[in-house]
Amino acid sequence: MTEPYILVPAPPAADLTTCDREPIHTPGSIQPHGAMIVLDARDLRVTHISANLPTRLLGRPAPEALDNSIVLAAQTALHEDGHSLSRIHAAPRTPELPYSEMVVHHLDGRIYAEFETPVSDHDEAGAVAGVQAIIQALRRTRSRQELCDVAVRELKSLTGFDRVMAYRFDPAGNGEVIAEACEPELEPFRGLHFPASDIPKQARQLYLRQRVRTIADVGYTPVPILTEAIRPGHAEVAALDMSLCHLRGLSPLHIEYLQNMGVGATLAISLIPDDALWGMLICHHRTPRRVSARVRALCDLIGQLMSFLIGEKGQNERLAERVVRARILDAIGERVNAAAAMPVQALLERPEEVLELLEADGALVQIGNQTQLFGRTPTLPQALTIAATMRARHGGEAAATNALGTIAPELGPLSGVAGGALVLPILHGPDDFIVWFRDQVAQTVTWGGNPEKPVESEAGRLTPRKSFAAWQSVVQGQCQPWKEVDLELAKDLRRLVTTAMLRNLETQTKLAGLRHYDALTGLPNRRLLEERLAARRADKDASPATMIFLDLDRFKTVNDSLGHAAGDDLLVQVANRLVESVASHHLVARIGGDEFVVLCENAPLAAGQEIAEAVIAAFRAPFQLAGRPYRLSTSVGVAQAGLGQPDHMLRSADSAMYAAKREGGNRAVTFDSSLHEAALQKLEIEQDLHQALERGEFEAHYQPLAALPSGEIVGFEALLRWRHPERGLVSPADFVPLAEETGLISPIGAQVLRQALCQVRAWREISGRGLFVSVNVSACQAARPDFPAEIAAALAEAGLPGEALLLEVTESIVAQSVAIGHLEAVRRTGVRIAIDDFGTGYSSLAYLQTLPVDELKIDKMFVSQLGRDTRSSTVTQALIQLAHALSLTVIAEGVEDERQWAELRSLGCDAAQGYWISRPVPVAQALALCGWRVRSDEGEDEAAQVSVKRRLPHSEPTPVSAAEMA
């Protein structure tokens, strides 16, 4: 009987006649040191296998064909997005799959399971301990160059590779080896440049998706991927996207390139600060060398830390340079502000300052009816051509180019008089701008091989260059590169000049129309909007209208962390984007702070909703803030005017906007009557909060914290509860945000703090032990001027030392420099500070640089996978070691079973809390826990197990409400 399917390779062979279009993410093969199975995510049917596995697996359901552990791992992956590390699981190690390690990820409707045998050499045994030393060494560095120098040295020691390089991309895509550690007999590559064509565009896109990549043996023989044959009447089988597969086969061109370099194995780690590929850490070995999945996970952690530190140190370097030039901007500002009648003339009085501000050689200023060239510049017609070309490309945004010939061929001949330029549109008028020029600078660049011949053609196919000997070339037609700080200072100058001009115009002319426009953004203001609404109220035949109300999400963080100048710049960018996003006949206005509205006249509700969604979509592209990409979202409310009620439209849109805020922001909500009712209920709760404070309705429930490995109860976290006389126990989620918004959180927090301290004093006296209490503190509480005195007074009132109190803070406090200063003052009294929810993103590493910290609380997201996912154990252990390297105590949150407790104990965690120990309980029940000692069943006799479980209330928990669980 004929088999119903014929096995065929998938996909067809790659086209090697071109490099930049090669589909490197769909090679149709894997490296031979492992195997791969691909499942259809809809029904878990095996759709692809590597050719080193039995073909009878194809087409069969996974539960029937594969071990149950593989099926469970696949089901887990279904609920997760694709990730460059994926998850590491123990493999079943059967005759068909003789592997003991499995990595699984989910991508575009397919589940990929890759199988390997763990590496047993020094790379696995010493990796975890080595990461701790690397983290300490990286944190001590003071610049990006020193960071890269230390990274290559430490990574070489960790991995054992012959050569480790830090490779940085320039804006044109060319790369340079800026740091290197290699065996003494190898020829050094440091200082060599490599053309952008060596790493084509699709490779860079892949490197953003998959942060860690390895080739175990450059001379490997590919193992093809097999799939079911195409049956008559069925569509052609699609190529298999292997972007996130660590076993992914490589481009023949890339393999040949590495062989020409004498490389036998590679490990590459992407460096991605601010979502952009800044560079890579590249490891080369002369002979084949495997890297285990666990070491790849640790390398990814190092790469993320490196990415963060690159961004942070780059920002510090920019700030240091900015401080040097800030005095020039201050001098210009004083002169322009003092010349109320003629701000532009004041700007041009000292042209050398305008040049020195941006370290330029010449400039063209055209504002109003004044046009002036100064310094070394092209002729006026040439300068105007450059300005027009750059403004046409970049619109109203400030922009710079280091080589004029690269943005337009007709500007190439001008490189002799200006190598590069920076253009700054002035918001006062469409033809107002400043352009700075820099002379061209001839540079001698040393390349790794001839950059003019990155590939050669042989027998109808491309082949990489065979020589990487140093090749020098002189680069002309470019200026000294513009830096991010140049663009930042130019924008600051624009804000200064624009504000002065608008102030001058309003003062000089007293035109009523000017009172209708916002001085910062140039948009209509609240006064003009109200007059437009009044006109609609008087017009009985007014067409339908819809109001869109926008409030920027977390905008206050920008002002608090980067200053009001950065916030103003962001508001100007938002205004420009809003104007570009809606039709010109709609009114876009700024009505105050970070609030904007769009009045859509002659637009029914459905049209207004479409405009609101278009506005939200426009915010998906990043803005530029302090010279770096900044993601900003907005909460949007939409409302339609009722007949004769245009004024209500603004109030209704405002209510809908707040509903969008409550749902997490970055969305649009359309007003309905229930929102008005919710607003009334919010007002009612606000009034009840005042009364609750007076009546003492707030109380604390206490969740114990147990020390590891002893299991001894050492303290309690106090969790706020509101026992409302009519509503019962109110969830903190329903009243804490409102309390913060109204400022009541400070007196409420102070009241609960005093309660908690008095309670822990009583427990210490009863138990004779040095118990402590942990209290959560919001950013607005810590920022109050009297916060340090309030903490000191509460401790004195309770008769307790500072060590009896632990204050927990969250990410939002990083933006509050005043609050950080207060925490430092409190910490000097012996009170300890903990970061709550640590580890929810690699940006959490920033806390360690900015906060006075004693303890870290690892988020339950990590704890929940312990004992089931080896990657979570690896990352959690790295976090614990990172904390211990900084002399910090680690508390794990959300412990829900004995397996997690045992894993945390083995990883060296210091303390834990969670439902497995006890849920939050009232004061009376908490007293009974003071003398407890948590013990797991492991290593205990049956009688001890029974005894312990009877003493722990979590063994048979009673149902609790959502409010009690919060």
Side-chain angles (χ1 to χ4, degrees), residues 114-171:
E114 299 175 85
F115 301 88
E116 299 177 73
T117 299
V119 178
S120 58
D121 62 13
H122 93 284
D123 112 312
E124 179 74 19
V128 173
V131 166
Q132 181 176 348
I134 291 177
I135 289 172
Q136 290 177 317
L138 294 178
R139 289 189 64 255
R140 287 194 294 264
T141 59
R142 292 165 295 181
S143 67
R144 286 181 291 185
Q145 184 59 56
E146 184 184 0
L147 176 69
C148 291
D149 289 335
V150 171
V152 296
R153 184 177 66 247
E154 296 292 343
L155 194 60
K156 182 178 184 300
S157 175
L158 174 73
T159 63
F161 276 71
D162 292 335
R163 185 197 304 271
V164 179
M165 300 170 285
Y167 187 86
R168 181 178 181 178
F169 294 107
D170 67 18

Side-chain angles (χ1 to χ4, degrees), residues 392-431:
R393 289 173 59 90
H394 300 286
E397 297 295 329
T401 178
N402 299 323
L404 287 170
T406 62
I407 63 171
E410 62 271 18
L411 300 183
L414 301 181
S415 61
V417 290
L422 187 153
V423 63
L424 177 74
I426 302 296
L427 300 179
H428 176 251
D431 296 320

Side-chain angles (χ1 to χ4, degrees), residues 120-383:
S120 58
D121 62 13
H122 93 284
D123 112 312
E124 179 74 19
V128 173
V131 166
Q132 181 176 348
I134 291 177
I135 289 172
Q136 290 177 317
L138 294 178
R139 289 189 64 255
R140 287 194 294 264
T141 59
R142 292 165 295 181
S143 67
R144 286 181 291 185
Q145 184 59 56
E146 184 184 0
L147 176 69
C148 291
D149 289 335
V150 171
V152 296
R153 184 177 66 247
E154 296 292 343
L155 194 60
K156 182 178 184 300
S157 175
L158 174 73
T159 63
F161 276 71
D162 292 335
R163 185 197 304 271
V164 179
M165 300 170 285
Y167 187 86
R168 181 178 181 178
F169 294 107
D170 67 18
N174 300 317
E176 179 187 1
V177 178
I178 62 173
E180 181 183 38
C182 66
E183 294 299 315
E185 65 271 17
L186 292 177
E187 181 181 354
F189 283 177
R190 181 167 183 159
L192 291 183
H193 292 70
F194 294 82
S197 55
D198 278 10
I199 304 178
K201 180 180 179 181
Q202 72 273 31
R204 296 167 202 244
Q205 293 172 341
L206 182 65
Y207 297 168
L208 283 169
R209 301 185 67 188
Q210 188 182 37
R211 296 192 297 259
V212 178
R213 303 163 300 282
T214 60
I215 306 174
D217 182 358
V218 168
Y220 77 94
T221 300
V223 176
I225 301 298
L226 305 177
T227 186
E228 298 169 299
I230 303 170
R231 290 173 288 172
H234 287 70
E236 182 178 348
V237 176
L240 187 66
D241 187 348
M242 299 173 65
S243 296
L244 304 184
C245 296
H246 285 287
L247 292 174
R248 181 184 64 249
L250 281 300
S251 158
L253 293 176
H254 185 48
I255 291 295
E256 191 172 348
Y257 179 92
L258 293 171
Q259 290 173 333
N260 290 347
M261 294 184 76
V263 176
T266 70
L267 164 67
I269 306 169
S270 298
L271 302 176
I272 314 174
D274 305 314
D275 300 323
L277 187 63
W278 183 89
M280 297 185 291
L281 294 174
I282 302 175
C283 306
H284 284 174
H285 205 64
R286 285 167 289 184
T287 59
R289 185 174 188 82
R290 282 188 53 206
V291 178
S292 71
R294 287 180 176 81
V295 173
R296 291 198 302 264
L298 295 175
C299 287
D300 184 75
L301 183 65
I302 292 170
Q304 291 189 58
L305 176 61
M306 278 282 293
S307 297
F308 164 73
L309 292 175
I310 286 168
E312 181 194 56
K313 295 182 188 303
Q315 178 71 2
N316 291 341
E317 291 167 11
R318 286 193 297 273
L319 289 175
E321 186 170 359
R322 183 185 177 94
V323 167
V324 174
R325 290 196 252 166
R327 61 179 179 79
I328 305 171
L329 185 65
D330 291 341
I332 294 174
E334 290 177 6
R335 195 168 60 256
V336 168
N337 288 325
M342 296 180 293
V344 178
Q345 288 85 337
L347 174 69
L348 299 177
E349 280 178 8
R350 300 285 299 275
E352 68 278 7
E353 288 185 345
V354 178
L355 297 181
E356 189 179 357
L357 179 66
L358 265 61
E359 297 182 344
D361 299 302
L364 165 63
V365 176
Q366 179 170 292
I367 302 177
N369 58 359
Q370 301 185 61
T371 300
Q372 184 171 331
L373 282 171
F374 45 85
R376 295 192 299 275
T377 68
T379 64
L380 181 59
Q382 291 172 334

Side-chain angles (χ1 to χ4, degrees), residues 632-644:
L632 178 68
S633 61
T634 181
S635 298
V636 179
V638 183
Q640 189 174 31
L643 293 176

